[in-house]
Amino acid sequence: MIAPIERTLAGLRQQTALWRKEDETIGVVPTMGALHQGHLSLARAARDKCDRVIVTIFVNPKQFNDPDDLKNYPRTEEEDARKLESIGVDLIYVPEPDQIYPDGFATTVSVSGLTDMLCGESRPGHFDGVATVVSKLFIQTSADYAFFGEKDYQQLQIVRRMALDLDLAVDVVGCPTIREEDGLAMSSRILLLSDRARIHAPVLAEVMEEMREKLQGGASMADILPDATARIMAAGFNDVDYLELRDGGDLSLLDKAKPDARLFAAAWLAGVRLIDNIAV
Ligand code: PAF
């Protein structure tokens, strides 16, 4: 059965109050829709852990730097609801914009430090938008658990920091990146790639895998970065925003592998920005 769709905060609260009365745990999976297997794996993880599961779908204007990117972001609500059918989520919350940002909305949640690097550098304000909407979704749903993909690893760390700093009583659960058969990390943005660009997209993950092997063998980033960047560009990518080794906890920059190191990449292919990260 397709889960009920709720579009108002009042309706959401009415429902969660009933669940709370029964002492049921609530898990939330925040999304912007255009659901793929990555999102569905989060919903399954929530289903396994919690009595009640809410998937939220809200294309959050505050986290887009580019108005065209916001306009072109895929919106596929009916299909999304059908995809969630087999998982058995309890509620799909698709708030109207004014249910998240009422008239005169004037508050921003801003996490410092973790947001200054990687995607934060090329997308100013993006993570403020993410932290603001996610804190609101945590409060609105009163979730005990929230599920995020490691594909957006920087986002996951920022959300963890934000929940800790604001004493939000929600346990943030990170779930592994789900990949296409050719290794490309699943993302709603893949839908925006032309057929031709889609063929070249997995090169990013391929190059990162090779870098991982070399780093594990003792190579430094300084040794391997020029060749790795050249390979990505030769595959038809237009630009590499970053290709960096960082600590998986505080995201500080590294030159050599160490426990909990991760390799992070963002690159542009035919007008679409792809990101990925792997543990080294
Ligand atoms: O990862 C996303 O899809 C979004 O950044 C999120 C967490 C749903 C907030 O809008």
Side-chain angles (χ1 to χ4, degrees), residues 30-32 58 60 63 130 133-134 148 152 155:
T31 82
M32 296 205 298
F58 180 63
N60 174 31
Q63 70 186 77
V130 170
V133 81
V134 170
F148 290 84
D152 297 300
Q155 168 174 281

Side-chain angles (χ1 to χ4, degrees), residues 6-21 26 54 91 93 99 135-142:
E6 181 53 66
R7 297 184 196 277
T8 68
L9 175 55
L12 172 72
R13 285 201 165 135
Q14 224 171 17
Q15 181 59 79
T16 53
L18 294 177
W19 293 338
R20 287 264 164 249
K21 225 168 149 183
I26 299 174
I54 303 171
L91 190 74
Y93 180 46
Q99 303 297 290
S135 57
K136 290 214 57 154
L137 291 170
F138 285 0
I139 294 165
Q140 291 194 349
T141 59
S142 70

Side-chain angles (χ1 to χ4, degrees), residues 240-279:
V240 177
D241 262 3
Y242 57 77
L243 185 51
E244 292 176 351
L245 185 69
R246 289 187 175 263
D247 180 89
D250 64 12
L251 303 186
S252 58
L253 200 58
L254 303 172
D255 187 44
K256 289 200 148 203
K258 71 167 187 72
D260 202 25
R262 291 188 91 85
L263 191 59
F264 293 85
W268 287 91
L269 177 62
V272 180
R273 190 171 180 275
L274 298 175
I275 64 169
D276 202 347
N277 73 91
I278 52 173

Side-chain angles (χ1 to χ4, degrees), residues 86-104:
S86 64
I87 297 170
V89 309
D90 295 284
L91 190 74
I92 306 174
Y93 180 46
V94 190
E96 297 295 345
D98 68 350
Q99 303 297 290
I100 299 287
Y101 302 123
D103 235 17

